[in-house]
Structure formats: structure tokens, C-alpha cells
Amino acid sequence: MIKTLAKSVREYKKDSIKTPIYVTVEVVLECLLPLIMASLIDEMGNGMWPIVKYGSILLVLAGFSLFFGMQAGRTAATASCGFAKNLRQDMFFKIQDFAFGDIDYFSSSSLVTRMTTDVTNVQNAYQMIIRIAVRTPFMIIFSVIMSFRIHARMSLIFLCILPILGIALFTIIFKVFPIFKRIFKKYDALNNSVQENVAGIRVVKSFVREDYEKEKFEKASEEVRQDFTRVEKILALNNPIMMFCIYTAMLLVSFLGARLIINTGGTELTTGQLSSLISYGVQILSSMMMLSMVFVMVSMAAEGCSRIVEVMKHESILTSPENGEKEVKDGSIVFDSVTFQYTPDCEKPALVNIDLKISSGQTIGILGGTGSSKTSLIQLISRLYDVTEGRVLVGGKDVREYDLEVLRSQVAVVMQKNVLFSGTIKENLRWGNKEASEEELVHACKLAQADEFITQLPQGYDTYIEQGGTNVSGGQKQRLCIARALLKKPKILILDDSTSAVDTKTDALIRRAFREEIPDTTKIIIAQRVSSIEDADRILVMEDGRIVQSGTHEELLAMEGIYRQVYDSQTRAKNA
């Protein structure tokens, strides 16, 4: 785990090394201060010279200690923030290579939690490790050594207190660690609730379900609160235990030290040395308190570390083959005895024994009810999932033989609920081709019947699209997504019910543009409206993961079956 995380330190390695060095020098200087102070106290009765001499030394040591402390703080902040930046970046890049199945495995809300809350906890822990976790043991060791130099028997008080503090600390950590592990899973559920609510806020309001969503969020939030309260109650014991031990040690040192000075007349222990012992005792026991804070932070971050490393070390279930095919010959598609299920423990496959041949340039329509696995079928073409049995061929080759980037660059998919990103219309369109010229943008939008409404916007193609495309209508969003897909100049274009929000006239114009402008591109159109696919070269009717009917519009109308029933119901509804 440490080895995996250490790879993200990279250019901040120098600051990570400098910090402990600065801290060590700072600790040494701080440990010298009580020793000088003891000499100052013991010689104060000898005039002003000892005060000036030792006072000057104290000021110089304090000044240098402050300088090195500031340097340690600066380099620690730089190293920890840079480490967190690299960690988020590495996770983000890793997630970009995940297949749909990988995202399903982790869940999007959990990935968000890992990139935000978990990384922040790891960042804070890293800063404490390279600074405080170095400072406290050195401070304890140096202070114990210095106190033993002053008076060994009195210093044994500190050594007796240390095990008590250590046992209390590790008992607390042992209790809270399992709770932290449980909290992060509940954070995932909380983030999922927020994510769903914000993404579907229009649906929530239209169905007046605000109270329900509030109750759901309150429940998830309350579970996190309860666990955190339990953790805080346990951690709250840390401070009083530490303070009790510190003040007990100070009282014993003060009492026994004062008694020793009186009984020996200051020959065995001087007033200055007693003052130094008290200072070293405070440093030792305060360092133990700081060490307890480090352990608490590290305990909190430990679970986050394991969750981050789980993402970093996860190998995608879909990878490009070594020396994969770099060219897709054409847009022909073959499904050869394909069976597919999303996970091995699914009750039944999504697709069963699919045999299908599509010639390059053909237009294929697919019709079927909800849950008939239309989308599952087309997701196998661009290898968003791998088949469970059989094989899918594109351009005469198994999709598993292609380099993934090459294959997906030649298969453009427009979903019903496709996504527009915040940015201008031009920037969104250039997702299809970042090098596209102005003329290519306009041409693609004309084919998708989007140019007309774009030119009516105040800023035209420079109009800013809000996150998720909330400032354009559903039909406009679909047309922009179709134009974006066309800019890829793909060999296969798949429309997954992506004209559902446009009127029938616009739908017809888009299909006519496809026939005339991209005749060599294989077009697969999933639709609920018969009018959207009636002029296709072949129409497939799917039910329960199987192709139950296949033929042209006229051939299917001549049969008794699902297609005829859907056509008749839509025709009656249109004439009603």
C-alpha cells in the first residue's frame, strides 16, 4: 500500500525529505533551550553579565528554532498538497481507463468519496507524518537524554508515565479504527444520495418528493453522525488521560525536586536544573499528546489509503491486447452465437444466443420494450462490455483483437440521455474531433438539424452550455450530441433512442441526411417510434434478450407479432 501511494509523491520528494531534516534541527535547538535556561537561573545572582550572555544565546537559539520550524511548515504544506494533487490526478487517470463493469463494481458515488474525502484525509496524515511524526519521537528521545543528564532518578518519573500513556493511546486507536472503516462506507451512501438528488432535482420537484428525499438524506446523515459521535466520545478520553498524566508527573517532579533541593542544600539538584526538568517533562508528555493526534489522523487515513490503493491497483476487466489491431477495415458487424450477462451471479443473461450479420453501410432499426436488452446489444459493438459466450466481429475481426482506442474512435454512440459538458457549443462539438474546422462543425450540425437553432442563439456557436446542458431543451441536446458523434466520422453510428425528444419532421430530416451524406457508414437506430426505423434496410425486434423478429418494414407488417402490434397501436394513437 505504501509503495503504491509513494509513486504519487514524485516531484515533491525533495520537500518531503527536507521537512524531517528541518524538524530535526528545530527539535535539537528546542531541547537546548531548557539547558541554557537552567544556567541562567542558577547564575542570575552574579550580576547582569550572565543574564546578557545566556539571554543572547536563548534569543539566537529561539530565532533559529523559529526559522527551521517555519521552513518545516512550508515544505510540509508543499509536499502534502502536491502529493494530494498527484494522488487525485493518478486516480482520475486510472478511472478514465475503467470499463462500465469497473464503474459498476465501485459505484460512482464511492469513487467521488475516494477522490475527495479519502484523499483529503491522506493529505492531512501525510503532512503530520513527515512533520509531527518525526518531531515527537525525536523530541521525546532528546528530552529524555537531556533530563537524564540533569538527574537520572528524577527522570525515571517520566519513563514510568510513558508506558501508561502508550497503553491508553493504543487502546483508543484499537477501538476507533473499525468505526472509521464503517464510516467511509456510509459516506459512500451519503454521497450517492446527494448525487442522485442533485442530478434528478427536476424530477424530485415535479413529483413533489422533496420531503421523501430529505428523509432519505437525513437517515444517511444520521448514521454518519452516530458513528462519528461514537468515535469522538472515545477520542475525547485521549486529552483528559494525557493531561492527567502530565500534571501528575509535573506535581511529582516539583514536589520531589523541591524536597531534594531543600534536603541537599542545592548540591544534588539546583533550582535551575529543577526548572529544566519540568520543561523537559512538559516537552516529553506534550510530544506524547501530539503523537496521539498523529495516530488518530493516521487511523482515519488508513482506511482511506486502502480504498485509494484499491482503485489504483484495480485492473480493468477490459484492456487493449498487446499489439492490438490499429485499423477498422469497414463497418460490418457480426454477432456469432453471443450470450452476455453483466456479472457471473446474474440470475439470467441479458442476451441469449444472438446471431446477426450487418453489412457495412446498412441501416438497421431495433425495436423492443423496456428491458429487452437493446442497449446491451449495442454496447458490445464498441466493447464497453465483453461477451460471456460467442464473439462480436467488427470489420471482420473480433472486437477483442482491436486496440480499444482505435475501435471506439470508429464506433460513435449517441445515447437517449447523452451528456453535454460545461463549455461553449464549439467546445462540446469538438469532443467528436478536437481538430474540426468551423466548416466541419457547421456541416455536422446541419446534418443533425442543429444549425438552425444554434444560429438563433445570441452567441451562436460560442453560446455557453451549462453543466449537463440545462440551458438547452432535450431535443436540442440530442441534436448536438448527434452532431458531435458525426464529427468522429465513424464507420459505425449508433443512435440509442437519441431522437426521442425531437419531432417526427426533424427525425425524418436527420434520417434523410444520414442516407444522403454518410451512405458508407453503418447506422444502427434504436427507437420506440416505428416511424423512426420504418425506412431501415432491416428491422430487428427484441424481447427478453432475444431477436424474435427480423425483416423490412413491409415484411414485418405482413407477420403477426410484436412489430405489427406496435405499429397498429401507434397508428391508432396518431389518427385518434
Side-chain angles (χ1 to χ4, degrees):
M1 185 168 70
I2 293 173
K3 188 177 179 181
T4 302
L5 293 173
K7 293 177 183 177
S8 298
V9 178
R10 292 199 291 277
E11 69 269 29
Y12 300 98
K13 191 179 292 183
K14 183 185 283 186
D15 286 310
S16 299
I17 295 171
K18 281 182 179 179
T19 301
I21 295 172
Y22 289 142
V23 167
T24 304
V25 177
E26 179 192 14
V27 168
V28 171
L29 292 172
E30 283 189 27
C31 286
L32 290 174
L33 290 174
L35 200 63
I36 305 300
M37 182 63 72
S39 300
L40 173 61
I41 292 172
D42 289 337
E43 296 187 28
M44 282 184 69
N46 299 329
M48 283 297 296
W49 172 241
I51 297 175
V52 172
K53 182 177 73 171
Y54 291 117
S56 300
I57 295 172
L58 287 170
L59 283 173
V60 171
L61 290 176
F64 276 109
S65 178
L66 175 64
F67 171 77
F68 284 106
M70 290 172 59
Q71 290 296 101
R74 182 182 64 81
T75 53
T78 302
S80 60
C81 292
F83 172 56
K85 180 206 74 172
N86 287 346
L87 205 54
R88 287 193 182 96
Q89 180 177 292
D90 293 345
M91 285 182 70
F92 185 79
F93 290 170
K94 182 73 176 180
I95 292 168
Q96 295 306 302
D97 293 331
F98 280 0
F100 282 13
D102 301 312
I103 302 295
D104 295 340
Y105 171 76
F106 285 106
S107 85
S108 56
S109 60
S110 178
L111 290 172
V112 170
T113 305
R114 292 170 201 240
M115 291 188 64
T116 51
T117 304
D118 290 354
V119 171
T120 300
N121 288 335
V122 172
Q123 174 188 337
N124 293 334
Y126 185 72
Q127 182 171 9
M128 295 192 83
I129 287 169
I130 62 174
R131 190 180 182 191
I132 308 300
V134 173
R135 175 188 172 84
T136 51
F138 275 123
M139 180 64 78
I140 292 170
I141 292 167
F142 288 141
S143 295
V144 168
I145 291 171
M146 299 300 280
S147 64
F148 264 86
R149 282 192 57 194
I150 294 171
H151 199 281
R153 281 184 298 162
M154 293 288 290
S155 301
L156 289 174
I157 296 172
F158 304 136
L159 288 183
C160 292
I161 295 291
L162 284 177
I164 298 172
L165 291 175
I167 292 170
L169 173 61
F170 282 105
T171 301
I172 290 171
I173 299 303
F174 180 77
K175 291 285 186 182
V176 302
F177 188 77
I179 305 175
F180 279 131
K181 194 169 186 176
R182 190 166 63 242
I183 284 173
F184 285 112
K185 291 182 180 178
K186 292 182 179 178
Y187 258 133
D188 291 345
L190 188 66
N191 275 352
N192 187 53
S193 176
V194 173
Q195 189 176 352
E196 281 186 341
N197 187 270
V198 173
I201 192 67
R202 287 171 174 78
V203 178
V204 173
K205 290 187 175 298
S206 65
F207 282 90
V208 197
R209 295 285 282 177
E210 292 92 341
D211 290 340
Y212 170 78
E213 289 296 321
K214 287 176 183 177
E215 288 176 11
K216 190 169 74 171
F217 179 82
E218 186 178 2
K219 181 181 177 182
S221 181
E222 178 62 20
E223 288 180 353
V224 173
R225 183 201 67 79
Q226 287 175 355
D227 281 339
F228 259 121
T229 301
R230 188 176 175 190
V231 167
E232 292 296 337
K233 284 179 179 178
I234 296 172
L235 293 178
L237 298 173
N238 181 58
N239 195 58
I241 291 172
M242 293 288 175
M243 294 307 296
F244 174 78
C245 292
I246 289 174
Y247 286 124
T248 300
M250 291 304 99
L251 283 171
L252 288 173
V253 169
S254 299
F255 173 73
L256 296 176
R259 186 176 177 181
L260 188 63
I261 292 171
I262 293 170
N263 291 339
T264 62
T267 56
E268 189 173 337
L269 184 70
T270 66
T271 305
Q273 288 175 331
L274 177 59
S275 174
S276 295
L277 274 176
I278 294 172
S279 296
Y280 286 128
V282 171
Q283 287 180 345
I284 291 168
L285 300 174
S286 297
S287 295
M288 283 298 295
M289 285 193 66
M290 294 174 69
L291 192 62
S292 70
M293 292 170 55
V294 173
F295 273 106
V296 169
M297 182 57 70
V298 170
S299 297
M300 187 184 297
E303 178 60 20
C305 286
S306 64
R307 285 156 54 88
I308 291 169
V309 170
E310 186 183 10
V311 174
M312 301 283 278
K313 297 186 78 171
H314 181 78
E315 293 299 327
S316 177
I317 57 176
L318 297 180
T319 55
S320 293
E322 192 174 345
N323 301 318
E325 291 289 335
K326 299 294 183 181
E327 182 182 359
V328 179
K329 181 181 176 183
D330 55 43
S332 62
I333 304 168
V334 175
F335 282 76
D336 183 10
S337 302
V338 168
T339 295
F340 167 69
Q341 58 188 59
Y342 285 96
T343 58
D345 56 352
C346 285
E347 292 183 5
K348 64 176 184 177
L351 295 169
V352 181
N353 199 28
I354 302 294
D355 284 297
L356 175 65
K357 290 185 179 181
I358 302 172
S359 302
S360 184
Q362 273 193 318
T363 299
I364 302 296
I366 302 179
L367 186 76
T370 302
S372 59
S373 297
K374 304 182 297 295
T375 299
S376 299
L377 182 78
I378 57 100
Q379 285 178 335
L380 300 179
I381 297 171
S382 55
R383 206 186 164 205
L384 296 175
Y385 292 94
D386 268 342
V387 298
T388 305
E389 296 177 15
R391 58 181 184 153
V392 177
L393 286 75
V394 170
K397 294 186 180 294
D398 193 316
V399 292
R400 290 169 290 196
E401 296 177 14
Y402 285 106
D403 179 89
L404 276 174
E405 188 174 337
V406 171
L407 174 65
R408 290 173 184 172
S409 68
Q410 294 300 318
V411 180
V413 183
V414 186
M415 301 290 186
Q416 180 184 5
K417 296 181 180 179
N418 231 312
V419 177
L420 292 175
F421 297 89
S422 53
T424 64
I425 288 177
K426 283 182 182 177
E427 289 170 345
N428 271 279
L429 291 172
R430 286 196 169 108
W431 273 66
N433 178 6
K434 62 182 179 181
E435 305 297 335
S437 64
E438 298 279 341
E439 292 75 19
E440 288 175 318
L441 295 179
V442 173
H443 180 65
C445 288
K446 285 181 177 178
L447 292 181
Q449 307 303 309
D451 180 68
E452 183 179 356
F453 83 81
I454 293 174
T455 53
Q456 293 175 358
L457 296 171
Q459 303 298 321
Y461 282 81
D462 291 312
T463 299
Y464 189 83
I465 299 293
E466 300 294 340
Q467 184 180 11
T470 55
N471 58 331
V472 291
S473 70
Q476 291 171 339
K477 187 189 298 186
Q478 286 186 337
R479 282 177 277 172
L480 286 172
C481 291
I482 292 170
R484 182 174 64 186
L486 290 171
L487 282 167
K488 289 180 70 173
K489 299 178 181 176
K491 288 186 169 64
I492 300 171
L493 175 64
I494 300 171
L495 304 184
D496 187 358
D497 208 11
S498 52
T499 57
S500 58
V502 301
D503 59 84
T504 52
K505 179 183 176 182
T506 304
D507 186 11
L509 290 172
I510 292 171
R511 286 183 283 110
R512 188 176 72 181
F514 287 172
R515 286 195 304 271
E516 295 174 356
E517 298 289 340
I518 51 172
D520 296 329
T521 299
T522 303
K523 298 163 282 292
I524 300 176
I525 303 172
I526 296 175
Q528 298 295 335
R529 292 187 305 216
V530 170
S531 60
S532 297
I533 56 174
E534 61 184 358
D535 55 355
D537 297 315
R538 185 157 40 124
I539 299 170
L540 309 176
V541 180
M542 295 191 66
E543 184 179 30
D544 200 24
R546 290 178 168 84
I547 298 174
V548 294
Q549 287 184 294
S550 175
T552 63
H553 174 68
E554 291 75 16
E555 289 171 346
L556 292 175
L557 284 181
M559 303 177 190
E560 289 296 330
I562 295 173
Y563 188 83
R564 177 63 182 266
Q565 293 170 8
V566 173
Y567 176 79
D568 289 343
S569 65
Q570 290 182 3
T571 303
R572 284 196 299 270
K574 185 178 180 181
N575 295 331

